[in-house]
Amino acid sequence: MSLLAAGTAQLRARSGQAYLRVSLLPSFAANWLISRLERFETQHPNIELDLDPTLRVVDINRGEADVAIRFGDFSADKQGGIHLANEELSPVMSPVLYGDGSRFQSTDDLLPHPILQAKSGLEWQLWSESANLCLDKARHIRLTDYNIVLQAALDGQGIAMGRNLLIKEHLRKGRLIQPFPVSFSSEKAAYWAVCDLNSKNAAAIEAFVEWLKAELQF
């Protein structure tokens, strides 16, 4: 297997083709990256991406991936986090269950309803602090991955914290609504690329990261 891998790498090098292993959150892959892959391939036909959607922690320094895309605060990450974009957080809900959201006159009106959150609870913590809302008495439903949180919100099972970059299409088509103008944006809730710019794939890694940063501005 090692000889096969080495041979494949040599063939790619001869053809000028770079091969990047990208570890990323399933929610980011499904709700943002997949629909844009064709644009990347058009702009960078010499870079082949191998996507690994996972919640598992990977070690770039041990060669487990060339690039890892993660959400949260990685400004002090020992592996070297490159800031891609901040998320804009605001509660979202299904109009099937909550109508146009007009019943929510203040953030306190959220408290009687189930609060859907990913395992860490980071988004709700940051947003509630910025909105001066105490969620201690709310009913929290903790789910493993943001994909599951999003689907539960679409099914009307509670109120989720919307990651605007991932839910734009749901908002545009009216599948989700935002009842409050209160939003939160910070590097504490951002997308980061963890990579080793000293690796042999440095040029391809840099091209991919710069493309991500540009695409995330739209």
Side-chain angles (χ1 to χ4, degrees):
M1 291 298 293
S2 60
L3 286 173
L4 180 60
T8 302
Q10 288 178 4
L11 286 173
R12 288 196 179 100
R14 290 171 188 166
S15 64
Q17 189 80 5
Y19 175 77
L20 292 184
R21 294 165 298 162
V22 181
S23 170
L24 70 171
L25 297 175
S27 56
F28 187 83
N31 297 289
W32 191 86
L33 182 59
I34 293 299
S35 64
R36 293 168 172 80
L37 278 181
E38 187 175 353
R39 289 211 289 268
F40 177 79
E41 292 169 355
T42 299
Q43 294 177 37
H44 300 279
N46 62 321
I47 302 176
E48 180 182 344
L49 301 179
D50 180 7
L51 302 183
D52 177 24
T54 180
L55 300 176
R56 182 176 63 87
V57 176
V58 298
D59 191 333
I60 297 295
N61 295 324
R62 296 183 62 181
E64 295 178 354
D66 294 300
V67 182
I69 303 170
R70 293 295 184 264
F71 174 76
D73 183 1
F74 286 78
S75 56
D77 192 277
K78 293 179 181 179
Q79 297 188 82
I82 299 173
H83 178 257
L84 299 175
N86 293 349
E87 256 297 3
E88 186 173 344
L89 305 177
S90 185
V92 294
M93 57 193 67
S94 168
V96 174
L97 184 60
Y98 297 104
D100 62 1
S102 59
R103 75 178 77 174
F104 297 90
Q105 296 297 309
S106 76
T107 55
D108 287 337
D109 294 332
L110 294 171
L111 298 178
H113 303 277
I115 300 297
L116 306 169
Q117 61 186 56
K119 195 172 183 180
S120 70
L122 174 68
E123 301 105 307
W124 275 107
Q125 176 190 337
L126 294 172
W127 182 85
S128 62
E129 289 174 356
S130 70
N132 196 28
L133 175 67
C134 179
L135 292 173
D136 290 349
K137 295 182 179 180
R139 177 191 169 204
H140 297 263
I141 300 177
R142 297 183 183 273
L143 303 164
T144 304
D145 176 46
Y146 189 73
N147 267 341
I148 306 174
V149 172
L150 183 55
Q151 188 59 55
L154 289 166
D155 291 343
Q157 295 181 34
I159 300 170
M161 186 53 61
R163 299 182 187 177
N164 191 61
L165 286 167
L166 303 190
I167 64 169
K168 282 182 178 178
E169 191 67 10
H170 294 301
L171 292 172
R172 188 180 71 82
K173 294 188 175 180
R175 293 190 288 255
L176 291 173
I177 58 169
Q178 293 174 313
F180 303 116
V182 181
S183 62
F184 178 86
S185 179
S186 154
E187 286 192 4
K188 292 181 179 180
Y191 296 101
W192 300 79
V194 180
C195 53
D196 178 8
L197 292 178
N198 294 316
S199 79
K200 62 182 180 181
N201 283 331
I205 291 171
E206 188 171 355
F208 179 56
V209 169
E210 289 304 312
W211 176 84
L212 285 171
K213 291 167 70 173
E215 284 287 320
L216 282 162
Q217 301 310 309
F218 297 102

